[in-house]
Amino acid sequence: MKTSLKLFPSRYTLVNAFAVLFITLSFLLRLAFMIMDFSQTDHSFMGLLKVFFVGLFFDLGTISFFYVVATLYFLLMPKRFYGTLVDRILVYFGFSLALLVIYFSFFAEITFWDEFQRRFNFIAVDYLIYTYEVFKNINESYPLPILIGGMLLLVVLTVWIFKRKGFFQRTLSANEGFAQKWIPFVIAVALVLFYGTSIENDLAESSSNRYNNELSKAGIYSFFAAFRNNELSYTDFYKTIPEKQALANVQHQVSGPLDSLVNPTKNILRHVKGGAEKRPNVILICVESFSASYMGIFGNEKNITPNLDSLAQAETYFSNLYATGTRTVRGMEAITLSIPPTPGRSIVKRKHNQNLFTIGEVFRSKGYSRTFFYGGDGYFDNMDKFFSGNGFDIVDRGRGFLPNGDIVTSRKNIEDDEVTFENAWGVCDEDIFNKVMKEADAASEQGKPFFDFIMTTSNHKPYTYPEGKIDIPSGTGRSGAVKYTDFAIGQFLKQAKSKSWYNNTVFVIMADHCASSAGRWELDVDNYHIPAIIVNLEGGKGYQIAQQCSQIDVMPTLFSLLGWNYENNFFGRDVFSIKPDEQRAFVGNYRKLGLLKSNELMVLGDGKVANQYVWNKQDNSLSSQPTNEAFLTEAISYYQLADFLYNHGGLDLKANP
């Protein structure tokens, strides 16, 4: 009994009960997620056993951090103060606060899983930074007063139950001294050090089924792992080859037959020869979360994209195009920098993201003005700082959140009297297009060609938009938001046709990423398939671009179609210059980097691992294959060089005279 008291003194009754509660809630949450996506998980006996045992392992790691705080307090509180008013206040307050944390995490994980089918990751970390949009979005998407009230009620109810069970009484009336309390504290510290220094979150990813891997994780543990690891060094974590070899390989891949390298020993800067140049205005509409599967031309039968389907059939559209990532900033990175995704967070959100060689620099060299339009506040995801730092003027909602000095070009606000509808993420798509129309009129009067980059917002949870525009009520789901975005684009182009500048304007409509990245595989290829349409291009009527290609290829292809001669530092290529056996797409998330060639997929992972698969397009499945060394080397070359150039100034304007 003496030993038992030393290991589990009654002073720790409450914290032990809290640990049991936490593990029970985590088990129930894991079970709920499994039921929600039962068809996607490996629910064999061994698969389930592995999920719950690995999950318990990470739950113990999470609870150890709570435990060490509690045991430290109990260890340091002298015996003579047990049960005093101060002790009672601190015990009740600390216990209630810990309960609030786990209940908040419980409900937050449900909403996060509903949208991303993942445990907390770097997206959740980013959301802590942009509290205005996130909490406003939650408030518009969910009954926030009920959620907050429910959490507080659960805290009160749990305190009452634990009090009825006598846990508080045994804790506050304990009589153990220092000597009997130190063992649990030492054990807790040892566990914290073990998990904090030795256990990486990706240890949970031991299954070939991505859902099982996510289920095996613990949300709070995953959150802090993402907080610590949202930037990854390619050379430290991924397979590498000699830098000179990577450079030579990529130079060979990206250079066309008439291109000439400017700095062959340093980067991929090359001079691209064109023909008879055309210089129309260019308006690029980057559509939020727009999967190819929403469009009728790709098999959707809901008729929610009638305008875009009509445009695709009448104009030029890409039928085999893939996004590089799963977030808006990845799409922006791919479009503006024409670069494969680097591990960790997007370059748009990194420190060294200004004065880079972007598509804006190509437009500047041709005499264009450049403007970035966003219906919300561009401080979100660092967008304004990135675009302004790379020469774009800014037009956004401008509610005053942006730190001083982040915008070094001109900025215009979307004023209140220009807004007909607004939600957490910004003004509706019709309002942003109306603002674009005004600015295009003004630019046209100056006689200078313009390039406008527009980021839409309506196709985003809470899926709200002006009523009466389409036949689906606002706020009822993704289909309505998609149809409204389609409607707004259709109206914009219809109004643009009445403008004097329309005949000399090319419109590029392209998604930033798909609506969902969820899937059971390392990289779910079908959830990277996006549409892109080029409208009003001379000679571009009724044309389908069927080559397998990447988001980074769209703008270089447009430059080629316009006959431009220009300096090119892009990994993207004119798709018409790519031979059939060279066609490829880059797909990735913040940790997995994939190269897709036809139906062959190479995935590079941190931990210096690589896996090769055959992608079955019919059922979107992956089958493991023996590694082809040439294919592996090609994948490494692209990603290693992209990371190297970014980190060593190879993407800077000053590096590209």
Side-chain angles (χ1 to χ4, degrees):
M1 180 62 71
K2 260 187 169 181
T3 304
S4 176
L5 283 174
K6 287 181 180 179
L7 287 174
F8 304 104
S10 55
R11 184 64 169 157
Y12 293 137
T13 300
L14 191 61
V15 70
N16 291 337
F18 175 83
V20 173
L21 173 66
F22 175 83
I23 291 171
T24 301
L25 286 173
S26 188
F27 173 84
L28 293 175
L29 192 64
R30 201 168 277 119
L31 185 63
F33 290 158
M34 182 175 292
I35 293 171
M36 286 166 61
D37 293 289
F38 191 72
S39 63
Q40 301 289 340
T41 60
D42 171 16
H43 41 265
S44 65
F45 176 75
M46 289 305 297
L48 296 178
L49 199 64
K50 193 173 184 180
V51 162
F52 287 105
F53 270 101
V54 174
L56 177 62
F57 177 76
F58 279 95
D59 289 342
L60 292 174
T62 305
I63 202 64
S64 69
F65 288 85
F66 287 93
Y67 211 88
V68 77
V69 175
T71 54
L72 177 62
Y73 167 73
F74 290 135
L75 182 70
L76 297 179
M77 176 63 75
K79 183 178 178 180
R80 65 179 180 275
F81 290 111
Y82 291 1
T84 62
L85 179 61
V86 172
D87 187 34
R88 288 177 177 276
I89 290 173
L90 291 175
V91 167
Y92 273 94
F93 175 77
F95 181 71
S96 299
L97 182 62
L99 283 179
L100 190 60
V101 169
I102 65 169
Y103 284 140
F104 176 82
S105 173
F106 183 86
F107 288 111
E109 278 211 79
I110 292 173
T111 60
F112 196 81
W113 184 277
D114 179 56
E115 183 162 359
F116 299 105
Q117 286 75 50
R118 278 176 164 82
R119 291 303 186 107
F120 289 146
N121 57 19
F122 76 104
I123 299 175
V125 175
D126 282 351
Y127 277 5
L128 273 188
I129 300 171
Y130 306 108
T131 53
Y132 176 84
E133 282 84 353
V134 173
F135 281 105
K136 196 165 187 284
N137 177 41
I138 292 171
N139 188 41
E140 293 173 354
S141 303
Y142 304 97
L144 196 56
I146 295 176
L147 286 176
I148 294 175
M151 282 188 289
L152 293 176
L153 182 62
L154 279 172
V155 170
V156 172
L157 183 62
T158 306
V159 170
W160 179 77
I161 292 173
F162 276 41
K163 188 173 182 180
R164 286 289 301 270
K165 293 288 186 183
F167 298 150
F168 282 95
Q169 178 63 26
R170 287 199 289 275
T171 296
L172 295 169
S173 63
N175 59 6
E176 297 94 2
F178 183 88
Q180 291 175 292
K181 295 184 296 181
W182 70 271
I183 293 179
F185 173 71
V186 170
I187 292 173
V189 170
L191 283 173
V192 166
L193 291 174
F194 170 67
Y195 278 93
T197 60
S198 304
I199 305 302
E200 297 291 339
N201 199 46
D202 58 5
L203 186 66
E205 301 186 3
S206 56
S207 170
S208 60
N209 184 294
R210 192 192 65 78
Y211 274 84
N212 284 50
N213 291 335
E214 293 297 320
L215 290 169
S216 299
K217 297 175 183 177
I220 295 175
Y221 198 96
S222 295
F223 177 86
F224 284 100
F227 185 83
R228 190 173 55 179
N229 297 315
N230 59 10
E231 290 190 25
L232 296 173
S233 165
Y234 182 91
T235 53
D236 288 346
F237 290 97
Y238 295 83
K239 284 183 174 291
T240 60
I241 58 176
E243 293 293 349
K244 289 184 179 180
Q245 182 184 351
L247 176 62
N249 290 344
V250 175
Q251 286 175 338
H252 174 74
Q253 291 291 336
V254 301
S255 298
L258 300 179
D259 296 351
S260 54
L261 291 166
V262 177
N263 297 314
T265 62
K266 294 183 178 180
N267 54 34
I268 58 174
L269 182 67
R270 57 207 185 273
H271 183 78
V272 177
K273 292 184 179 180
E277 291 195 354
K278 310 181 190 103
R279 297 193 183 178
N281 308 306
V282 177
I283 296 178
L284 189 154
I285 303 172
C286 190
V287 185
E288 170 70 40
S289 304
F290 200 81
S291 307
S293 60
Y294 292 142
M295 295 184 63
I297 57 170
F298 295 110
N300 192 296
E301 298 179 352
K302 294 181 180 179
N303 192 33
I304 54 177
T305 58
N307 292 292
L308 291 174
D309 285 329
S310 177
L311 284 172
Q313 292 168 358
E315 304 283 348
T316 297
Y317 83 99
F318 291 76
S319 62
N320 201 8
L321 176 70
Y322 294 85
T324 63
T326 60
R327 294 204 66 205
T328 296
V329 285
R330 276 298 182 201
M332 289 178 171
E333 172 190 87
I335 295 168
T336 56
L337 293 171
S338 191
I339 190 174
T342 50
R345 56 172 45 185
S346 164
I347 291 172
V348 173
K349 293 177 64 62
R350 296 197 197 181
K351 292 180 181 179
H352 178 55
N353 68 356
Q354 301 181 341
N355 298 311
L356 304 178
F357 191 93
T358 70
I359 57 171
E361 181 62 18
V362 178
F363 281 106
R364 186 204 62 77
S365 71
K366 301 297 180 183
Y368 284 67
S369 65
R370 299 155 291 164
T371 306
F372 171 66
F373 292 82
Y374 181 58
D377 283 290
Y379 88 102
F380 183 79
D381 269 348
N382 209 45
M383 289 185 284
D384 274 359
K385 187 173 183 178
F386 171 76
F387 279 97
S388 178
N390 287 294
F392 286 75
D393 293 328
I394 304 296
V395 176
D396 70 349
R397 188 67 176 102
R399 287 182 290 226
F401 297 107
L402 197 69
N404 290 332
D406 274 9
I407 294 181
V408 294
T409 52
S410 70
R411 182 190 194 186
K412 290 184 180 179
N413 289 350
I414 302 171
E415 304 295 348
D416 291 346
D417 61 2
E418 297 176 300
V419 179
T420 64
F421 182 91
E422 188 170 17
N423 65 17
W425 298 107
V427 303
C428 66
D429 288 351
E430 286 176 280
D431 288 346
I432 191 67
F433 290 141
N434 288 336
K435 185 68 172 180
V436 171
M437 200 80 71
K438 289 181 183 179
E439 296 301 315
D441 287 343
S444 178
E445 290 177 3
Q446 296 177 3
K448 186 177 183 179
F450 57 84
F451 169 55
D452 292 340
F453 188 120
I454 308 162
M455 186 67 234
T456 73
T457 58
S458 290
N459 186 27
H460 196 297
K461 215 167 194 176
Y463 312 128
T464 53
Y465 42 84
E467 292 284 8
K469 302 291 184 176
I470 59 171
D471 57 0
I472 302 176
S474 172
T476 56
R478 176 78 74 174
S479 291
V482 169
K483 192 163 188 176
Y484 172 72
T485 291
D486 175 84
F487 165 81
I489 292 172
Q491 289 295 106
F492 173 60
L493 292 175
K494 182 179 179 181
Q495 293 170 23
K497 285 182 180 179
S498 66
K499 300 294 184 178
S500 60
W501 44 263
Y502 176 81
N503 288 334
N504 189 41
T505 302
V506 171
F507 302 82
V508 180
I509 305 167
M510 175 168 40
D512 58 352
H513 58 86
C514 284
S516 173
S517 60
R520 66 175 66 184
W521 311 105
E522 270 198 286
L523 292 174
D524 205 271
V525 177
D526 200 44
N527 285 337
Y528 290 85
H529 185 205
I530 59 170
I533 307 169
I534 301 178
V535 179
N536 208 33
L537 177 70
E538 184 180 332
K541 300 296 182 182
Y543 190 79
Q544 177 188 165
I545 297 176
Q547 287 94 329
Q548 184 181 67
C549 55
S550 173
Q551 203 170 23
I552 71 175
D553 300 317
V554 174
M555 294 308 291
T557 299
L558 176 65
F559 295 153
S560 175
L561 291 170
L562 296 177
W564 284 7
N565 294 273
Y566 67 102
E567 297 295 300
N568 183 334
N569 195 36
F570 305 140
F571 284 75
R573 295 184 60 184
D574 165 23
V575 298
F576 298 108
S577 70
I578 305 177
K579 299 174 183 178
D581 62 341
E582 295 177 348
Q583 294 175 22
R584 80 286 173 272
F586 302 96
V587 294
N589 55 39
Y590 74 109
R591 287 181 50 222
K592 305 290 185 181
L593 309 171
L595 179 63
L596 179 68
K597 299 190 74 172
S598 185
N599 66 338
E600 298 283 336
L601 176 67
M602 181 66 70
V603 179
L604 306 179
D606 51 357
K608 295 186 180 291
V609 298
N611 297 309
Q612 185 170 337
Y613 303 95
V614 170
W615 173 45
N616 185 328
K617 195 170 184 178
Q618 300 304 313
D619 62 4
N620 194 34
S621 63
L622 297 179
S623 302
S624 296
Q625 297 291 309
T627 300
N628 180 299
E629 291 300 324
F631 189 20
L632 174 60
T633 299
E634 183 179 352
I636 293 172
S637 297
Y638 278 120
Y639 286 111
Q640 181 177 331
L641 185 67
D643 183 82
F644 179 85
L645 291 180
Y646 167 73
N647 284 298
H648 293 82
L651 305 181
D652 294 359
L653 280 176
K654 63 183 180 182
N656 305 304

